[in-house]
Amino acid sequence: MSYTTDLGLYIDGSWRTGEGRDTHSVINPATGETLAELPLATVADLDEALAATAKGFAQWRTVDVNARAAILHKVADHIRERAETIAVLLTTEQGKPLAEARTEVLSCAAQFDYFAEEAKRSYGRVLVRPTGQRAVVLKQPVGPVAAFSPWNFPVNLMCKKMAAALAAGCSIIAKPPEETPASTSAIMQCVIDGGVPGNVAQLVYGVPDMVSRHLIASPIIRKVSFTGSVPVGKHLLKLAADGVKRTTMELGGHAPVLIFDDCDLEKAINLSATTKFRNAGQVCISPTRFYVQEGVYDRFVAGFAAHTKQIKVGNGLEAGTIMGPLANARRPSAIADLVEDATSKGANLLTGGSRGNHGFFFTPTVLSDVPMSAKVMDDEPFGPVALMRPFKTFDEAIEQANRLPFGLAAYAFTENARQANLVADALDTGMVGLNSFVISMPDAPFGGVKESGFGSEGGPEGLDSYYVTKAVHQY
């Protein structure tokens, strides 16, 4: 497979190579081998990108919305045409199975198509005034955007920000993760080939702290969009506060799953065990804390563990692989520490709990009767670990689900319609899945409450975050 670093930095309409720049080693997480050396942006690169994005915004905001939409549809077409190539790159550098990589890449195309059309419906309002007077409320693009996205869904999360920003008429400097430059650069090439001007959409990689500080400090940047951990999100919020910049923060979670004794048990087991280990559990909305009503607890735990033992772990490019490696060398050790802490405090290890012999693998792990004192009950594992605890009453389940400072996603399985309505109202999260884990679609808002962030990506709510409101009064 060809893997090149030529597609590293895209600034003001041209790709930049590694000459004269520091580099980052890109590692295949399935083998541990070095794939390439990625050039990292310098301060001079960032200054050039900032100057370009200011000019790009002045031009792009005036482009008719139908013309912008036509360009974004072309971007979506290019992504679909190149989906298999991009998916292989994504699996190679991130680790997820090829089938999951294909789905992620195609979701990027769906984002561009959705926002291309949704931008046409940002109507604003006309207020009622006496004859001869007019008052209108306009939605206008907020300005140049700095967008920071993580390594777990590198192309999807970059596109979710980029498609909405471009549709709204904003220019954008995207800073995706250094771990996955080939797949994100390939998406950027689709953006270029679709007709987005080079000073309107730009791509940089670099030392995260330096890049974020420099871009956010610039008066040119008017909005910051970040997906990542709670600590980093809080840090970026403080930086953005100095310039009173618009922000969207999609931060961490620790998703509870409430399994009531009236649920379709087989469905709950199969969906739960399948979804838990998607992308090796490296999903901000991954179901992790399973609270199971006493009447079905033993059967659910046994069925979940049996299903988990059948999961084939391996290189994501190999046929039949269900779960790939973790994304980097730090993750297996972090997961092992959490599992060891839980078992030392009384949790039962039903399956998994061990690292692989090569690469960054960790076996799918199920812990039952996990004590509340275990660190993993408070700290998001962000890996292939499922935690089981029984509950008696509805109120107890809600109390446990809501007890953490996170509020991104939560799930519940019940066949009682009234109970489903009550649990959806009571869960203190930005998103709820009832009898399903499918909660991320282009037309739906995606975001959390409490320390899981604020603002939405996806849906008309996500598009609105790239607009400012202007009231115009004429007498």
Side-chain angles (χ1 to χ4, degrees):
M1 186 192 80
S2 175
Y3 194 103
T4 175
T5 57
D6 289 343
L7 305 183
L9 305 173
Y10 184 75
I11 299 173
D12 198 15
S14 66
W15 289 102
R16 311 298 171 88
T17 66
E19 184 177 353
R21 298 177 175 87
D22 291 338
T23 60
H24 170 85
S25 296
V26 183
I27 306 298
N28 183 332
T31 64
E33 69 174 318
T34 299
L35 294 168
E37 294 296 326
L38 172 70
L40 302 180
T42 64
V43 169
D45 289 326
L46 298 180
D47 285 339
E48 188 177 352
L50 286 165
T53 204
K55 294 179 182 178
F57 174 61
Q59 300 163 2
W60 186 247
R61 67 179 302 175
T62 65
V63 175
D64 177 73
V65 68
N66 292 291
R68 290 202 304 264
I71 290 172
L72 298 188
H73 282 310
K74 289 180 182 178
V75 173
D77 290 342
H78 286 305
I79 292 173
R80 291 190 181 94
E81 291 166 0
R82 305 169 193 179
E84 188 66 17
T85 298
I86 300 172
V88 171
L89 292 172
L90 176 56
T91 293
T92 302
E93 60 191 4
Q94 197 273 345
K96 66 185 60 180
L98 190 55
E100 292 183 19
R102 292 189 186 106
T103 300
E104 180 176 347
V105 173
L106 292 175
S107 75
C108 295
Q111 295 284 351
F112 277 97
D113 277 337
Y114 172 79
F115 284 113
E117 294 302 312
E118 188 60 29
K120 299 175 184 179
R121 295 185 281 272
S122 296
Y123 302 123
R125 289 188 293 144
V126 177
L127 308 182
V128 177
R129 291 293 184 268
T131 299
Q133 300 178 19
R134 291 289 184 272
V136 296
V137 180
L138 306 176
K139 293 182 179 181
Q140 296 186 321
V142 64
V145 175
F148 305 92
S149 48
W151 46 258
N152 58 331
F153 289 94
V155 297
N156 171 273
L157 294 174
M158 183 179 82
C159 288
K160 189 173 285 190
K161 302 173 191 301
M162 185 174 285
L166 294 175
C170 298
S171 57
I172 186 169
I173 301 175
K175 192 275 178 197
E178 287 67 41
E179 290 90 343
T180 57
S183 56
T184 46
S185 291
I187 290 288
M188 189 66 201
Q189 189 64 56
C190 294
V191 172
I192 297 164
D193 293 344
V196 177
N199 58 4
V200 171
Q202 300 177 81
L203 186 73
V204 299
Y205 303 92
V207 178
D209 186 60
M210 185 276 282
V211 174
S212 59
R213 286 181 185 275
H214 198 79
L215 292 183
I216 295 173
S218 170
I220 292 171
I221 296 299
R222 299 291 297 275
K223 167 162 183 179
V224 177
S225 180
F226 172 73
T227 301
S229 71
V230 173
V232 175
K234 290 179 178 180
H235 168 66
L236 297 187
L237 280 171
K238 292 174 183 176
L239 296 178
D242 286 339
V244 196
K245 299 181 189 295
R246 177 81 64 87
T247 59
T248 297
M249 292 283 147
E250 195 270 278
L251 309 180
H254 200 329
V257 186
L258 307 185
I259 307 293
F260 290 94
D261 55 15
D262 65 354
C263 73
D264 181 334
L265 189 59
E266 288 305 311
K267 175 182 178 180
I269 290 170
N270 290 334
L271 288 181
S272 296
T274 299
T275 307
K276 169 66 248 182
F277 302 107
R278 179 173 69 103
N279 199 25
Q282 300 168 123
V283 184
C284 58
I285 58 172
S286 180
T288 300
R289 295 180 291 141
F290 290 86
Y291 297 105
V292 187
Q293 204 155 21
E294 287 181 338
V296 294
Y297 180 74
D298 290 340
R299 284 182 289 161
F300 180 86
V301 171
F304 191 105
H307 192 290
T308 301
K309 291 176 182 177
Q310 302 303 312
I311 293 175
K312 180 182 177 182
V313 179
N315 189 315
L317 295 175
E318 296 175 357
T321 295
I322 301 299
M323 193 187 92
L326 302 182
N328 58 58
R330 303 182 302 275
R331 300 308 305 148
S333 295
I335 299 300
D337 289 345
L338 290 173
V339 172
E340 182 179 353
D341 173 77
T343 55
S344 71
K345 293 175 179 175
N348 298 315
L349 177 62
L350 301 183
T351 187
S354 61
R355 309 184 201 193
N357 296 324
H358 63 278
F360 308 144
F361 291 95
F362 198 92
T363 53
T365 300
V366 181
L367 297 170
S368 67
D369 302 321
V370 184
M372 297 302 296
S373 59
K375 292 180 182 178
V376 74
M377 291 301 294
D378 295 329
D379 299 340
E380 181 185 19
F382 215 66
V385 181
L387 314 171
M388 309 284 170
R389 281 185 59 85
F391 73 87
K392 291 182 180 181
T393 67
F394 178 93
D395 289 344
E396 178 189 351
I398 296 299
E399 179 184 5
Q400 289 299 309
N402 289 341
R403 70 178 186 84
L404 295 180
F406 312 115
L408 187 58
Y411 310 93
F413 284 79
T414 176
E415 292 300 304
N416 183 310
R418 176 171 173 76
Q419 183 160 255
N421 290 335
L422 290 172
V423 75
D425 286 345
L427 288 168
D428 196 6
T429 57
M431 298 170 285
V432 176
L434 297 174
N435 300 318
S436 173
F437 293 104
V438 181
I439 61 173
S440 178
M441 287 79 70
D443 60 351
F446 189 101
V449 298
K450 299 190 289 187
E451 291 193 12
S452 288
F454 54 82
S456 295
E457 293 189 309
E461 296 84 359
L463 185 64
D464 280 346
S465 73
Y466 292 94
Y467 289 120
V468 291
T469 301
K470 178 184 287 185
V472 180
H473 304 270
Q474 180 178 354
Y475 294 91

PDB file of all heavy atoms in Angstrom, residues 4 23 58 61 81 90 121 127 148 158 164 231 234 250 263 266 297 303 352 358 363 378 392 397 407 409 426 429 461:
ATOM      1  N   THR A   4       1.997   8.114   1.774  1.00  0.00           N
ATOM      2  CA  THR A   4       2.895   9.230   1.515  1.00  0.00           C
ATOM      3  C   THR A   4       2.675  10.369   2.491  1.00  0.00           C
ATOM      4  O   THR A   4       1.574  10.536   3.006  1.00  0.00           O
ATOM      5  CB  THR A   4       2.714   9.759   0.081  1.00  0.00           C
ATOM      6  OG1 THR A   4       3.530  10.910  -0.093  1.00  0.00           O
ATOM      7  CG2 THR A   4       1.269  10.162  -0.180  1.00  0.00           C
ATOM      8  N   THR A  23       8.821  16.720  12.483  1.00  0.00           N
ATOM      9  CA  THR A  23       7.913  15.683  12.012  1.00  0.00           C
ATOM     10  C   THR A  23       7.374  14.851  13.178  1.00  0.00           C
ATOM     11  O   THR A  23       7.938  14.840  14.274  1.00  0.00           O
ATOM     12  CB  THR A  23       8.598  14.743  11.008  1.00  0.00           C
ATOM     13  OG1 THR A  23       9.722  14.106  11.644  1.00  0.00           O
ATOM     14  CG2 THR A  23       9.054  15.496   9.783  1.00  0.00           C
ATOM     15  N   ALA A  58     -13.886  36.459   3.513  1.00  0.00           N
ATOM     16  CA  ALA A  58     -14.459  37.630   2.852  1.00  0.00           C
ATOM     17  C   ALA A  58     -15.066  37.269   1.497  1.00  0.00           C
ATOM     18  O   ALA A  58     -16.090  37.839   1.084  1.00  0.00           O
ATOM     19  CB  ALA A  58     -13.394  38.710   2.681  1.00  0.00           C
ATOM     20  N   ARG A  61     -18.210  34.027   2.036  1.00  0.00           N
ATOM     21  CA  ARG A  61     -19.475  34.432   2.648  1.00  0.00           C
ATOM     22  C   ARG A  61     -20.416  35.064   1.632  1.00  0.00           C
ATOM     23  O   ARG A  61     -21.644  35.082   1.832  1.00  0.00           O
ATOM     24  CB  ARG A  61     -19.237  35.407   3.798  1.00  0.00           C
ATOM     25  CG  ARG A  61     -18.696  36.754   3.399  1.00  0.00           C
ATOM     26  CD  ARG A  61     -18.520  37.680   4.593  1.00  0.00           C
ATOM     27  NE  ARG A  61     -19.777  37.868   5.304  1.00  0.00           N
ATOM     28  CZ  ARG A  61     -19.909  38.551   6.431  1.00  0.00           C
ATOM     29  NH1 ARG A  61     -18.838  39.082   6.999  1.00  0.00           N
ATOM     30  NH2 ARG A  61     -21.086  38.705   7.004  1.00  0.00           N
ATOM     31  N   GLU A  81     -16.727   8.194  -4.193  1.00  0.00           N
ATOM     32  CA  GLU A  81     -15.931   7.549  -5.241  1.00  0.00           C
ATOM     33  C   GLU A  81     -14.626   6.981  -4.685  1.00  0.00           C
ATOM     34  O   GLU A  81     -14.133   5.951  -5.167  1.00  0.00           O
ATOM     35  CB  GLU A  81     -15.614   8.569  -6.338  1.00  0.00           C
ATOM     36  CG  GLU A  81     -16.822   8.994  -7.159  1.00  0.00           C
ATOM     37  CD  GLU A  81     -16.536  10.240  -7.989  1.00  0.00           C
ATOM     38  OE1 GLU A  81     -15.391  10.757  -7.913  1.00  0.00           O
ATOM     39  OE2 GLU A  81     -17.458  10.710  -8.692  1.00  0.00           O
ATOM     40  N   LEU A  90      -7.568   4.726   6.625  1.00  0.00           N
ATOM     41  CA  LEU A  90      -8.079   4.934   7.974  1.00  0.00           C
ATOM     42  C   LEU A  90      -7.812   3.722   8.863  1.00  0.00           C
ATOM     43  O   LEU A  90      -7.337   3.860   9.999  1.00  0.00           O
ATOM     44  CB  LEU A  90      -9.573   5.239   7.913  1.00  0.00           C
ATOM     45  CG  LEU A  90     -10.318   5.398   9.235  1.00  0.00           C
ATOM     46  CD1 LEU A  90      -9.688   6.468  10.110  1.00  0.00           C
ATOM     47  CD2 LEU A  90     -11.788   5.727   8.965  1.00  0.00           C
ATOM     48  N   ARG A 121     -32.104  26.503   4.134  1.00  0.00           N
ATOM     49  CA  ARG A 121     -33.300  26.727   4.964  1.00  0.00           C
ATOM     50  C   ARG A 121     -33.017  27.619   6.173  1.00  0.00           C
ATOM     51  O   ARG A 121     -33.825  27.676   7.104  1.00  0.00           O
ATOM     52  CB  ARG A 121     -33.857  25.374   5.413  1.00  0.00           C
ATOM     53  CG  ARG A 121     -34.376  24.532   4.259  1.00  0.00           C
ATOM     54  CD  ARG A 121     -35.027  23.255   4.745  1.00  0.00           C
ATOM     55  NE  ARG A 121     -34.052  22.242   5.087  1.00  0.00           N
ATOM     56  CZ  ARG A 121     -33.537  21.362   4.224  1.00  0.00           C
ATOM     57  NH1 ARG A 121     -33.889  21.412   2.947  1.00  0.00           N
ATOM     58  NH2 ARG A 121     -32.674  20.446   4.613  1.00  0.00           N
ATOM     59  N   LEU A 127     -40.161  40.527  11.264  1.00  0.00           N
ATOM     60  CA  LEU A 127     -40.969  40.901  12.423  1.00  0.00           C
ATOM     61  C   LEU A 127     -42.153  41.766  11.990  1.00  0.00           C
ATOM     62  O   LEU A 127     -42.089  42.477  10.974  1.00  0.00           O
ATOM     63  CB  LEU A 127     -40.108  41.655  13.439  1.00  0.00           C
ATOM     64  CG  LEU A 127     -38.807  40.958  13.860  1.00  0.00           C
ATOM     65  CD1 LEU A 127     -38.069  41.795  14.901  1.00  0.00           C
ATOM     66  CD2 LEU A 127     -39.070  39.553  14.399  1.00  0.00           C
ATOM     67  N   PHE A 148     -10.829  21.560  15.868  1.00  0.00           N
ATOM     68  CA  PHE A 148      -9.915  20.553  16.408  1.00  0.00           C
ATOM     69  C   PHE A 148     -10.673  19.242  16.597  1.00  0.00           C
ATOM     70  O   PHE A 148     -11.693  19.204  17.293  1.00  0.00           O
ATOM     71  CB  PHE A 148      -9.337  21.019  17.747  1.00  0.00           C
ATOM     72  CG  PHE A 148      -8.660  22.365  17.675  1.00  0.00           C
ATOM     73  CD1 PHE A 148      -9.370  23.530  17.935  1.00  0.00           C
ATOM     74  CD2 PHE A 148      -7.325  22.464  17.326  1.00  0.00           C
ATOM     75  CE1 PHE A 148      -8.761  24.772  17.862  1.00  0.00           C
ATOM     76  CE2 PHE A 148      -6.701  23.702  17.254  1.00  0.00           C
ATOM     77  CZ  PHE A 148      -7.421  24.859  17.520  1.00  0.00           C
ATOM     78  N   MET A 158     -13.896  15.468  11.692  1.00  0.00           N
ATOM     79  CA  MET A 158     -13.400  16.609  10.928  1.00  0.00           C
ATOM     80  C   MET A 158     -14.470  17.090   9.952  1.00  0.00           C
ATOM     81  O   MET A 158     -14.722  18.297   9.831  1.00  0.00           O
ATOM     82  CB  MET A 158     -12.125  16.238  10.171  1.00  0.00           C
ATOM     83  CG  MET A 158     -11.516  17.407   9.411  1.00  0.00           C
ATOM     84  SD  MET A 158      -9.987  16.998   8.519  1.00  0.00           S
ATOM     85  CE  MET A 158     -10.666  16.261   7.027  1.00  0.00           C
ATOM     86  N   ALA A 164     -20.478  21.754   8.035  1.00  0.00           N
ATOM     87  CA  ALA A 164     -21.388  22.762   8.565  1.00  0.00           C
ATOM     88  C   ALA A 164     -20.818  24.164   8.408  1.00  0.00           C
ATOM     89  O   ALA A 164     -21.528  25.105   8.022  1.00  0.00           O
ATOM     90  CB  ALA A 164     -21.686  22.469  10.031  1.00  0.00           C
ATOM     91  N   PRO A 231     -10.585  17.675  30.149  1.00  0.00           N
ATOM     92  CA  PRO A 231      -9.514  18.602  30.554  1.00  0.00           C
ATOM     93  C   PRO A 231      -9.035  19.510  29.427  1.00  0.00           C
ATOM     94  O   PRO A 231      -8.821  20.712  29.640  1.00  0.00           O
ATOM     95  CB  PRO A 231      -8.400  17.669  31.040  1.00  0.00           C
ATOM     96  CG  PRO A 231      -9.093  16.418  31.452  1.00  0.00           C
ATOM     97  CD  PRO A 231     -10.232  16.279  30.480  1.00  0.00           C
ATOM     98  N   LYS A 234     -11.690  22.202  28.666  1.00  0.00           N
ATOM     99  CA  LYS A 234     -11.668  23.304  29.636  1.00  0.00           C
ATOM    100  C   LYS A 234     -10.503  24.254  29.358  1.00  0.00           C
ATOM    101  O   LYS A 234     -10.643  25.483  29.470  1.00  0.00           O
ATOM    102  CB  LYS A 234     -11.567  22.741  31.055  1.00  0.00           C
ATOM    103  CG  LYS A 234     -12.822  22.021  31.528  1.00  0.00           C
ATOM    104  CD  LYS A 234     -12.634  21.471  32.941  1.00  0.00           C
ATOM    105  CE  LYS A 234     -13.892  20.798  33.445  1.00  0.00           C
ATOM    106  NZ  LYS A 234     -13.735  20.253  34.823  1.00  0.00           N
ATOM    107  N   GLU A 250     -17.625  19.378  22.338  1.00  0.00           N
ATOM    108  CA  GLU A 250     -18.154  18.014  22.468  1.00  0.00           C
ATOM    109  C   GLU A 250     -17.089  17.225  23.200  1.00  0.00           C
ATOM    110  O   GLU A 250     -16.091  16.810  22.619  1.00  0.00           O
ATOM    111  CB  GLU A 250     -18.472  17.423  21.090  1.00  0.00           C
ATOM    112  CG  GLU A 250     -19.337  16.187  21.145  1.00  0.00           C
ATOM    113  CD  GLU A 250     -18.529  14.905  21.238  1.00  0.00           C
ATOM    114  OE1 GLU A 250     -18.070  14.431  20.204  1.00  0.00           O
ATOM    115  OE2 GLU A 250     -18.364  14.403  22.375  1.00  0.00           O
ATOM    116  N   CYS A 263     -37.392  -5.789  29.396  1.00  0.00           N
ATOM    117  CA  CYS A 263     -36.838  -5.558  28.053  1.00  0.00           C
ATOM    118  C   CYS A 263     -36.849  -6.836  27.221  1.00  0.00           C
ATOM    119  O   CYS A 263     -37.072  -7.943  27.724  1.00  0.00           O
ATOM    120  CB  CYS A 263     -35.414  -5.030  28.155  1.00  0.00           C
ATOM    121  SG  CYS A 263     -34.198  -6.282  28.650  1.00  0.00           S
ATOM    122  N   GLU A 266     -32.747 -10.737  24.724  1.00  0.00           N
ATOM    123  CA  GLU A 266     -31.795 -11.154  23.691  1.00  0.00           C
ATOM    124  C   GLU A 266     -31.360  -9.969  22.824  1.00  0.00           C
ATOM    125  O   GLU A 266     -30.185  -9.848  22.470  1.00  0.00           O
ATOM    126  CB  GLU A 266     -32.412 -12.257  22.822  1.00  0.00           C
ATOM    127  CG  GLU A 266     -32.531 -13.597  23.524  1.00  0.00           C
ATOM    128  CD  GLU A 266     -31.196 -14.076  24.070  1.00  0.00           C
ATOM    129  OE1 GLU A 266     -30.202 -14.048  23.306  1.00  0.00           O
ATOM    130  OE2 GLU A 266     -31.144 -14.470  25.247  1.00  0.00           O
ATOM    131  N   TYR A 297     -30.447  -9.712  35.793  1.00  0.00           N
ATOM    132  CA  TYR A 297     -29.016  -9.412  35.906  1.00  0.00           C
ATOM    133  C   TYR A 297     -28.137 -10.600  35.531  1.00  0.00           C
ATOM    134  O   TYR A 297     -27.250 -10.490  34.676  1.00  0.00           O
ATOM    135  CB  TYR A 297     -28.685  -8.932  37.324  1.00  0.00           C
ATOM    136  CG  TYR A 297     -27.218  -8.606  37.534  1.00  0.00           C
ATOM    137  CD1 TYR A 297     -26.662  -7.450  36.998  1.00  0.00           C
ATOM    138  CD2 TYR A 297     -26.383  -9.456  38.257  1.00  0.00           C
ATOM    139  CE1 TYR A 297     -25.318  -7.125  37.184  1.00  0.00           C
ATOM    140  CE2 TYR A 297     -25.039  -9.150  38.449  1.00  0.00           C
ATOM    141  CZ  TYR A 297     -24.520  -7.980  37.909  1.00  0.00           C
ATOM    142  OH  TYR A 297     -23.186  -7.686  38.086  1.00  0.00           O
ATOM    143  N   GLY A 303     -25.012 -13.756  29.220  1.00  0.00           N
ATOM    144  CA  GLY A 303     -25.151 -13.655  27.769  1.00  0.00           C
ATOM    145  C   GLY A 303     -24.185 -12.656  27.171  1.00  0.00           C
ATOM    146  O   GLY A 303     -23.598 -12.901  26.100  1.00  0.00           O
ATOM    147  N   GLY A 352     -11.507 -11.494  29.136  1.00  0.00           N
ATOM    148  CA  GLY A 352     -10.591 -10.436  28.710  1.00  0.00           C
ATOM    149  C   GLY A 352      -9.609 -10.060  29.796  1.00  0.00           C
ATOM    150  O   GLY A 352      -9.168 -10.880  30.602  1.00  0.00           O
ATOM    151  N   HIS A 358       1.594  -8.108  20.394  1.00  0.00           N
ATOM    152  CA  HIS A 358       2.203  -7.122  19.504  1.00  0.00           C
ATOM    153  C   HIS A 358       1.181  -6.020  19.256  1.00  0.00           C
ATOM    154  O   HIS A 358       0.002  -6.148  19.582  1.00  0.00           O
ATOM    155  CB  HIS A 358       2.614  -7.768  18.168  1.00  0.00           C
ATOM    156  CG  HIS A 358       1.450  -8.313  17.399  1.00  0.00           C
ATOM    157  ND1 HIS A 358       0.902  -9.552  17.669  1.00  0.00           N
ATOM    158  CD2 HIS A 358       0.706  -7.783  16.403  1.00  0.00           C
ATOM    159  CE1 HIS A 358      -0.110  -9.770  16.854  1.00  0.00           C
ATOM    160  NE2 HIS A 358      -0.264  -8.716  16.074  1.00  0.00           N
ATOM    161  N   THR A 363      -7.708  -7.227  24.966  1.00  0.00           N
ATOM    162  CA  THR A 363      -8.850  -8.116  24.738  1.00  0.00           C
ATOM    163  C   THR A 363     -10.145  -7.492  25.249  1.00  0.00           C
ATOM    164  O   THR A 363     -10.156  -6.789  26.261  1.00  0.00           O
ATOM    165  CB  THR A 363      -8.629  -9.468  25.436  1.00  0.00           C
ATOM    166  OG1 THR A 363      -8.326  -9.228  26.817  1.00  0.00           O
ATOM    167  CG2 THR A 363      -7.504 -10.246  24.803  1.00  0.00           C
ATOM    168  N   ASP A 378     -15.815   5.880  37.758  1.00  0.00           N
ATOM    169  CA  ASP A 378     -15.818   7.340  37.699  1.00  0.00           C
ATOM    170  C   ASP A 378     -15.085   7.882  36.482  1.00  0.00           C
ATOM    171  O   ASP A 378     -15.448   8.931  35.950  1.00  0.00           O
ATOM    172  CB  ASP A 378     -15.170   7.930  38.954  1.00  0.00           C
ATOM    173  CG  ASP A 378     -15.958   7.624  40.219  1.00  0.00           C
ATOM    174  OD1 ASP A 378     -17.186   7.508  40.144  1.00  0.00           O
ATOM    175  OD2 ASP A 378     -15.323   7.502  41.287  1.00  0.00           O
ATOM    176  N   LYS A 392     -32.235  -2.291  41.776  1.00  0.00           N
ATOM    177  CA  LYS A 392     -33.569  -2.766  42.152  1.00  0.00           C
ATOM    178  C   LYS A 392     -34.674  -1.907  41.547  1.00  0.00           C
ATOM    179  O   LYS A 392     -35.575  -2.407  40.881  1.00  0.00           O
ATOM    180  CB  LYS A 392     -33.709  -2.775  43.671  1.00  0.00           C
ATOM    181  CG  LYS A 392     -32.874  -3.815  44.388  1.00  0.00           C
ATOM    182  CD  LYS A 392     -33.133  -3.774  45.900  1.00  0.00           C
ATOM    183  CE  LYS A 392     -32.295  -4.824  46.626  1.00  0.00           C
ATOM    184  NZ  LYS A 392     -32.554  -4.809  48.103  1.00  0.00           N
ATOM    185  N   ALA A 397     -31.782   3.329  39.594  1.00  0.00           N
ATOM    186  CA  ALA A 397     -31.102   3.307  38.295  1.00  0.00           C
ATOM    187  C   ALA A 397     -30.821   4.723  37.791  1.00  0.00           C
ATOM    188  O   ALA A 397     -29.720   5.017  37.302  1.00  0.00           O
ATOM    189  CB  ALA A 397     -31.949   2.552  37.282  1.00  0.00           C
ATOM    190  N   GLY A 407     -22.440  14.149  30.882  1.00  0.00           N
ATOM    191  CA  GLY A 407     -23.810  14.011  30.406  1.00  0.00           C
ATOM    192  C   GLY A 407     -23.884  14.036  28.895  1.00  0.00           C
ATOM    193  O   GLY A 407     -24.567  14.881  28.308  1.00  0.00           O
ATOM    194  N   ALA A 409     -24.209  10.896  26.531  1.00  0.00           N
ATOM    195  CA  ALA A 409     -25.210   9.962  26.027  1.00  0.00           C
ATOM    196  C   ALA A 409     -25.598   8.964  27.105  1.00  0.00           C
ATOM    197  O   ALA A 409     -24.815   8.677  28.021  1.00  0.00           O
ATOM    198  CB  ALA A 409     -24.688   9.221  24.794  1.00  0.00           C
ATOM    199  N   ALA A 426     -35.784  11.659  32.541  1.00  0.00           N
ATOM    200  CA  ALA A 426     -34.999  11.706  33.777  1.00  0.00           C
ATOM    201  C   ALA A 426     -33.496  11.672  33.543  1.00  0.00           C
ATOM    202  O   ALA A 426     -32.728  12.171  34.376  1.00  0.00           O
ATOM    203  CB  ALA A 426     -35.395  10.544  34.688  1.00  0.00           C
ATOM    204  N   THR A 429     -28.645  13.881  30.174  1.00  0.00           N
ATOM    205  CA  THR A 429     -27.683  13.784  29.081  1.00  0.00           C
ATOM    206  C   THR A 429     -28.204  14.539  27.866  1.00  0.00           C
ATOM    207  O   THR A 429     -29.394  14.825  27.764  1.00  0.00           O
ATOM    208  CB  THR A 429     -27.436  12.312  28.675  1.00  0.00           C
ATOM    209  OG1 THR A 429     -28.693  11.704  28.321  1.00  0.00           O
ATOM    210  CG2 THR A 429     -26.801  11.530  29.799  1.00  0.00           C
ATOM    211  N   GLU A 461     -29.367  22.465  14.454  1.00  0.00           N
ATOM    212  CA  GLU A 461     -28.703  23.055  15.618  1.00  0.00           C
ATOM    213  C   GLU A 461     -27.203  23.192  15.389  1.00  0.00           C
ATOM    214  O   GLU A 461     -26.576  24.167  15.799  1.00  0.00           O
ATOM    215  CB  GLU A 461     -28.973  22.215  16.864  1.00  0.00           C
ATOM    216  CG  GLU A 461     -30.419  22.156  17.298  1.00  0.00           C
ATOM    217  CD  GLU A 461     -31.241  21.106  16.568  1.00  0.00           C
ATOM    218  OE1 GLU A 461     -30.689  20.411  15.677  1.00  0.00           O
ATOM    219  OE2 GLU A 461     -32.435  20.968  16.887  1.00  0.00           O
TER     220      GLU A 461
END
